[in-house]
Amino acid sequence: MTTKNVARCGMMTALAMIFGYVEALIPFDLGIPGVKLGLPNIIIVLALYTLPASWALVIQVMRIVLVSFLFGNLSMMLYSLAGGLLSLLVMVLLKKTDWFSITGVSIAGGVSHNIGQMSAAVLLVQNLKIAFYLPALLTAGLVTGGLIGMLVHKIKPLIRW
């Protein structure tokens, strides 16, 4: 890994953290716990399409750990890691097939992120009743994943490493 690549990863991690902070400042309440816009995922999807997948993994983990320590708590970190890692795994696998567009991969990432978070919540809380929120979370993941995918599709051609 060259100095230039370390700088790219650092820049994208910082941008993802800033987007996470901005997202925390935006009052986005639909009455459903856990629904967010997913602004940091713009950077993760962009990293997945402009950098090697291993770098996207590093950016994802660093962003989650740092944002959790700065603005959240341990439970936030656990839920975010469960969702973020499952999401990235699904996106990497779908991207490798070349069957899906950036938007399709992003939608799958948004939906799988919510599945990962819900799975972690069911395991940690040990109450299956919270899965009642899953349809609403999946719908939110579908919509936000689509919007993020369309945005990354427009931004990606502008990136020149």
Side-chain angles (χ1 to χ4, degrees):
M1 189 177 242
T2 66
T3 305
K4 189 184 246 185
N5 294 336
V6 171
R8 287 178 183 147
C9 283
M11 178 191 65
M12 292 188 95
T13 301
L15 280 172
M17 289 177 62
I18 290 166
F19 285 178
Y21 180 67
V22 167
E23 182 175 71
L25 295 175
I26 297 172
F28 186 75
D29 184 19
L30 295 176
I32 302 165
V35 174
K36 293 183 178 180
L37 295 172
L39 297 178
N41 294 322
I42 295 168
I43 301 302
I44 302 306
V45 175
L46 191 59
L48 186 61
Y49 277 89
T50 59
L51 300 170
S54 60
W55 297 4
L57 175 64
V58 169
I59 294 165
Q60 179 80 300
V61 171
M62 291 299 297
R63 177 203 50 99
I64 291 169
V65 169
L66 292 170
V67 167
S68 296
F69 279 132
L70 292 171
F71 311 117
N73 53 44
L74 183 60
S75 64
M76 176 186 165
M77 184 186 308
L78 293 174
Y79 294 133
S80 294
L81 281 171
L85 294 177
L86 179 61
S87 173
L88 189 61
L89 174 66
V90 167
M91 289 192 297
V92 166
L93 293 174
L94 291 180
K95 180 181 177 276
K96 284 185 177 190
T97 67
D98 281 332
W99 293 350
F100 299 90
S101 66
I102 293 174
T103 303
V105 169
S106 180
I107 288 170
V111 169
S112 60
H113 186 93
N114 289 330
I115 290 170
Q117 284 189 320
M118 183 57 69
S119 300
V122 167
L123 289 173
L124 291 172
V125 178
Q126 297 195 355
N127 186 345
L128 195 55
K129 291 180 182 178
I130 61 174
F132 171 73
Y133 288 116
L134 192 56
L137 292 176
L138 294 179
T139 302
L142 182 80
V143 172
T144 59
L147 293 172
I148 288 167
M150 289 187 284
L151 186 61
V152 171
H153 177 75
K154 295 291 185 186
I155 294 171
K156 183 181 169 260
L158 304 175
I159 302 293
R160 288 179 180 69
W161 295 118

